[in-house]
Amino acid sequence: MIADSPECPQRLARWLERLNPQQREAATADPARPLLILAGAGTGKTRTLVARLAWLVVEAQVPAERLLMLTFTRRAAREMLARAAEVVGRRTARRMVGGTFHSVGQRLLRAYAPRLGLNEAFTILDRGDSEDLLDMCREELSLRSGSPAAGRRRFPAKRTLAAIYTRCVNGERSLGDVLGMDFPWVAEHEEAVRRIFRRYEERKQEQDVLDFDDLLSAWRALLADPVLGPEAAGHFEHVLVDEYQDTNRAQRSILLALREGGCQMTCVGDDAQSIYGFRGATVANILDFEADFSAARLVRLEQNYRSSEPLLALTNAVLAGAREGHPKTLWSGIPGAGPPRLVRVLDEDAEARWIADEVLRLQEEGLPLRRQAVLFRAAHHSDLLEVELGRRRIPFRKYGGLRFVDAAHVKDLIAFLRILENPADRTAWFRVLKLLDGVGPRTAAKVCEHLAAHGHRLSALASCQVPPRARTPYAGLTELLASLSTESAHDCPGACVEALRAFYEPILARRYERPEARREDLEALAHLARAARDRRSFLSELALDPPAASGDEAGPPHRDEDWLVLSTIHSAKGLEWDAVYVLRCTDGMIPSDMATGRRETVEEERRVFYVALTRARQHLALTAPLRYHVPEHRRRRDDWHLYPKLSRFLSDEALAALERIDLAAPDAAFDADAGPRSLTNLRRNAIERWA
């Protein structure tokens, strides 16, 4: 018996009965053929993928431990496996392997580490750590703006270097190609950037650390090995991939190698929601699926269970203007509360006031704040709205800013843990040592060199001489690390974090403003640590799939808590609300003016807009200011402003699906699409201002 009990076929039959014909077709498709499920927004792709999982176990008789579920968040994997357990039983579901590409990759790499020449205790650099190490390599090579080695021209900063490196590795592209296409102003520094990347690889190997990109490239190399590759691929019989449109070229190569190793393949995605090009994702993967996987089958899911028909008329019209993609037309049969609205307001201040009014109006009609969301292309687009909400005492939560683990004080504490796990991690050592009074970059480098000379044994810390001012805090650090370097401390990450907090909190109070609020973050980190199996797995999970905020792992809110959601469109993907407001639907905002240089990036901006529109269930409002104040002039309180056009994605067909509301001042004399109606009117208004 593959599943837990003889009742599983009956439970599966009842589950399949709840699916529509297209979902059922996808769930029960022949497992011997690669399958792509094109799941439009709100079409029940999770329900379908769970049914596919259960069907493979119960009907296709695939052993649960030989099923691999690849998702883009840890939470998504947990949810799918929990729902599959409703059919196949908990014991069977627990045997399934699920997680993100990076987390599964690191598990395989640790298992094969000795045979790959890796230290199985390697630590993982998050994005910020990678940037810091690249910056250290740049400093070692004396490559900074204005230096003789870099020349007189501006040299790329660490964040730009990290973005270039990622696009080369994950996109499987040459440095010259990435610079020429995406960073042309850096092209003159190509040889210098190449030297930095070479040094970066050397430093990672010396310190037994891997970055996110290494987890994919090393997994790909493992599968390509003539001896280890078939063995690694042989762990799995069927691979299911969620959000296939968000994969990059390296992840595609991994899946192709698994397929060549005998794994069957089911992928779910929507090319219209491919919006992470800045992370290296490429829509080409899902568009080329049938070319990449021979004899592939394609099933479309087009019945939408989220949005009303009037809202889908708009989203279909926006998507119809796309230059490429799998054709699809969403439908729902859900009656609407009215057509979506396009609201023209005078400026950004008027936009903020109207949204606050509308949010409160719907709340008075019985729609809680937390079932309403304001979405925007860039995080700073909500600045004036946040001021207006604060003035009116409307509570809100904003998503799309700094992640929990990116906060400086949280990274500090994590650095202590990384040292305990991997004493060769020079980046973590620099962060920890520079927290101590009297320790600067030179002393930190001296300590790291001393440790390297003594085989990175923590016991060697005591014999390193530091400046007199640093001796007391350095001695305290030495004693702390010695007490926590035991096997029992490794197995109790919660107790380990508590001991580190006791040492760190006086430093926190000295170095940072608002220490009380930051202590709450450290308590949240301790809470997460107490639930972890051991220190190594805790660090891996924090690096690979961190909570976005300290409240991510908390329980449900109290009944009387309510707040409006503010979110970037990228952070809102996968979520839905009864009422959605999309800010600044004008050219230069949506699409972003930074993305209008190439057809590919403009098309991605269209998909970003589409994602925003498809988050709404019943109410959808697009706001479009008739003018924007130039920021530097706003601070001087004068009246310099620009007149934008409506977003190019609002075609005539899209506008026909919208109710258009003009709330601009009567004397503004604007055409809704083209800006000022006539120079004569503007001149007359300018004169009348002084009458």
Side-chain angles (χ1 to χ4, degrees):
M1 175 64 64
I2 294 290
D4 278 6
S5 74
E7 299 176 2
C8 289
Q10 290 76 26
R11 291 201 293 261
L12 175 61
R14 289 194 295 271
W15 188 285
L16 292 175
E17 285 173 4
R18 297 199 294 267
L19 303 182
N20 67 40
Q22 290 71 36
Q23 292 172 333
R24 196 176 307 116
E25 179 186 359
T28 60
D30 181 2
R33 291 179 62 185
L35 173 66
L36 174 61
I37 305 172
L38 274 174
T43 56
K45 61 114 174 167
T46 300
R47 182 191 319 155
T48 306
L49 196 52
V50 169
R52 178 69 168 169
L53 264 174
W55 185 85
L56 286 170
V57 171
V58 176
E59 292 296 330
Q61 296 289 292
V62 178
E65 61 274 11
R66 290 175 58 76
L67 277 170
L68 172 61
M69 163 63 71
L70 292 170
T71 62
F72 275 80
T73 67
R74 176 180 54 184
R75 182 169 289 181
R78 283 202 306 255
E79 178 189 351
M80 289 191 191
L81 295 180
R83 292 178 67 177
E86 297 174 19
V87 180
V88 301
R90 291 183 181 179
R91 285 179 299 168
T92 299
R94 279 198 293 266
R95 299 206 310 271
M96 298 177 183
V97 181
T100 66
F101 274 90
H102 294 90
S103 65
V104 172
Q106 71 91 20
R107 275 184 271 171
L108 283 169
L109 292 176
R110 290 197 196 279
Y112 284 91
R115 299 162 70 182
L116 289 170
L118 287 173
N119 181 346
E120 62 181 341
F122 64 80
T123 47
I124 300 167
L125 301 176
D126 66 18
R127 297 297 183 196
D129 300 324
S130 297
E131 291 174 8
D132 290 343
L133 185 54
L134 281 164
D135 204 38
M136 291 170 61
C137 294
R138 186 180 67 164
E139 290 293 326
E140 289 176 11
L141 296 169
S142 300
L143 290 167
R144 65 184 73 84
S145 294
S147 67
R152 294 180 177 273
R153 300 294 295 275
R154 177 169 60 117
F155 196 77
K158 62 180 182 179
R159 180 170 296 182
T160 303
L161 289 170
I164 294 169
Y165 178 86
T166 291
R167 293 198 188 194
C168 289
V169 178
N170 284 342
E172 299 180 343
R173 298 163 62 190
S174 69
L175 177 58
D177 176 54
V178 169
L179 295 184
M181 290 289 292
D182 304 329
F183 301 88
W185 65 271
V186 184
E188 64 181 288
H189 298 297
E190 179 176 347
E191 190 50 43
V193 171
R194 196 181 304 279
R195 289 173 58 204
I196 291 173
F197 290 169
R198 191 179 304 118
R199 179 66 60 90
Y200 177 62
E201 299 292 356
E202 293 168 355
R203 291 291 176 259
K204 286 189 295 180
Q205 293 176 27
E206 292 168 2
Q207 299 173 32
D208 291 327
V209 297
L210 299 180
D211 61 25
F212 281 7
D213 306 317
D214 292 327
L215 296 173
L216 298 181
S217 57
W219 185 4
R220 187 178 57 202
L222 169 64
L223 292 172
D225 185 273
V227 176
L228 300 180
E231 181 182 333
H235 289 299
F236 308 111
E237 185 173 324
H238 202 107
V239 181
L240 298 98
V241 185
D242 190 21
E243 307 286 6
Y244 188 64
Q245 78 280 350
D246 293 333
T247 54
N248 57 43
R249 302 305 280 184
Q251 289 162 333
R252 166 185 170 272
S253 294
I254 289 169
L255 295 176
L256 287 171
L258 287 170
R259 172 69 175 160
E260 290 173 6
C263 295
Q264 306 301 333
M265 198 71 55
T266 295
C267 296
V268 181
D270 180 9
D271 54 290
Q273 297 186 69
S274 178
I275 62 173
Y276 293 112
F278 64 93
R279 295 182 186 170
T282 173
V283 70
N285 285 357
I286 193 167
L287 296 180
D288 296 341
F289 185 88
E290 292 168 287
D292 287 340
F293 297 93
S294 59
R297 181 177 179 182
L298 189 152
V299 178
R300 287 179 174 82
L301 306 184
E302 296 177 305
Q303 183 176 356
N304 181 285
Y305 293 91
R306 174 190 301 156
S307 303
S308 66
E309 279 290 351
L311 271 58
L312 293 179
L314 171 63
T315 59
N316 286 332
V318 168
L319 194 59
R323 296 191 178 186
E324 60 182 3
H326 294 287
K328 65 180 74 66
T329 302
L330 298 183
W331 63 275
S332 70
I334 301 172
R341 293 171 291 169
L342 172 64
V343 183
R344 298 308 306 263
V345 292
L346 180 61
D347 55 20
E348 314 98 296
D349 296 291
E351 179 181 56
R353 290 193 299 271
W354 183 84
I355 286 182
D357 287 340
E358 191 68 7
V359 163
L360 292 175
R361 182 184 71 81
L362 287 180
Q363 186 189 38
E364 286 294 318
E365 293 179 2
L367 188 64
L369 294 177
R370 63 181 173 274
R371 286 164 57 186
Q372 304 183 56
V374 183
L375 307 183
F376 31 86
R377 177 62 182 84
H380 67 273
H381 288 175
S382 68
D383 289 350
L384 292 177
L385 176 61
E386 293 173 46
V387 173
E388 183 68 16
L389 295 173
R391 187 180 68 81
R392 300 202 196 187
R393 300 182 181 275
I394 301 174
F396 65 88
R397 291 189 179 180
K398 184 175 181 179
Y399 300 89
L402 189 68
R403 297 184 310 166
F404 169 57
V405 294
D406 288 334
H409 52 290
V410 176
K411 289 181 72 70
D412 288 345
L413 206 63
I414 293 172
F416 285 93
L417 294 169
R418 285 171 47 193
I419 284 171
L420 289 165
E421 188 62 25
N422 176 16
D425 190 338
R426 188 182 180 98
T427 309
W429 273 114
F430 261 70
R431 187 173 194 100
V432 166
L433 289 167
K434 288 163 67 177
L435 294 172
L436 306 181
D437 287 341
V439 175
R442 187 173 300 177
T443 301
K446 177 183 175 183
V447 173
C448 289
E449 290 161 7
H450 179 82
L451 276 169
H454 290 79
H456 295 109
R457 294 189 302 274
L458 292 177
S459 58
L461 283 173
S463 60
C464 183
Q465 297 299 312
V466 297
R469 185 183 167 205
R471 285 174 188 166
T472 299
Y474 180 79
L477 174 66
T478 300
E479 293 172 8
L480 173 71
L481 296 179
S483 68
L484 295 177
S485 59
T486 62
E487 186 173 338
S488 60
H490 176 270
D491 294 335
C492 299
C496 190
V497 169
E498 291 294 353
L500 291 171
R501 281 179 65 194
F503 178 84
Y504 175 71
E505 287 198 357
I507 300 173
L508 176 74
R510 290 196 308 272
R511 293 181 67 90
Y512 297 110
E513 297 178 356
R514 300 188 305 110
E516 288 301 325
R518 297 174 189 268
R519 286 191 184 99
E520 292 179 8
D521 287 342
L522 300 185
E523 172 55 40
L525 188 69
H527 170 75
L528 294 172
R530 286 192 285 270
R533 183 176 67 253
D534 55 44
R535 188 173 61 221
R536 181 175 299 169
S537 61
F538 176 56
L539 282 171
S540 295
E541 287 185 3
L542 277 180
L544 296 171
D545 198 7
S550 58
D552 262 18
E553 302 295 330
H558 298 299
R559 291 182 181 178
D560 60 345
E561 289 184 355
D562 199 12
W563 60 85
L564 177 68
V565 175
L566 308 185
S567 176
T568 62
I569 299 171
H570 286 89
S571 295
K573 186 171 175 290
L575 304 176
E576 57 188 69
W577 295 271
D578 287 345
V580 169
Y581 313 86
V582 185
L583 295 184
R584 305 193 180 184
C585 298
T586 55
D587 250 36
M589 303 294 176
I590 303 177
S592 166
D593 57 357
M594 301 295 290
T596 55
R598 302 206 330 261
R599 181 181 65 83
E600 294 84 356
T601 52
V602 170
E603 286 303 300
E604 178 160 319
E605 291 290 301
R606 180 188 300 276
R607 298 192 292 268
V608 170
F609 190 43
Y610 173 83
V611 165
L613 302 181
T614 54
R615 300 309 94 198
R617 297 190 188 103
Q618 286 288 324
H619 305 274
L620 175 64
L622 316 181
T623 58
L626 296 175
R627 69 184 186 190
Y628 292 107
H629 292 86
V630 179
E632 55 267 30
H633 292 280
R634 174 182 288 276
R635 289 193 293 271
R636 296 206 297 260
R637 297 184 178 276
D638 57 27
D639 200 30
W640 284 79
H641 45 261
L642 304 172
Y643 299 106
K645 292 185 177 182
L646 272 179
S647 172
R648 68 188 68 185
F649 304 138
L650 291 174
S651 62
D652 290 342
E653 292 78 10
L655 289 172
L658 286 158
E659 176 188 353
R660 301 175 71 172
I661 301 171
D662 189 354
L663 298 179
D667 63 350
F670 295 106
D671 178 85
D673 299 323
R677 243 186 230 141
S678 74
L679 185 59
T680 302
N681 285 345
L682 289 177
R683 285 173 172 169
R684 185 181 66 246
N685 292 341
I687 294 170
E688 290 176 354
R689 175 187 299 176
W690 306 106

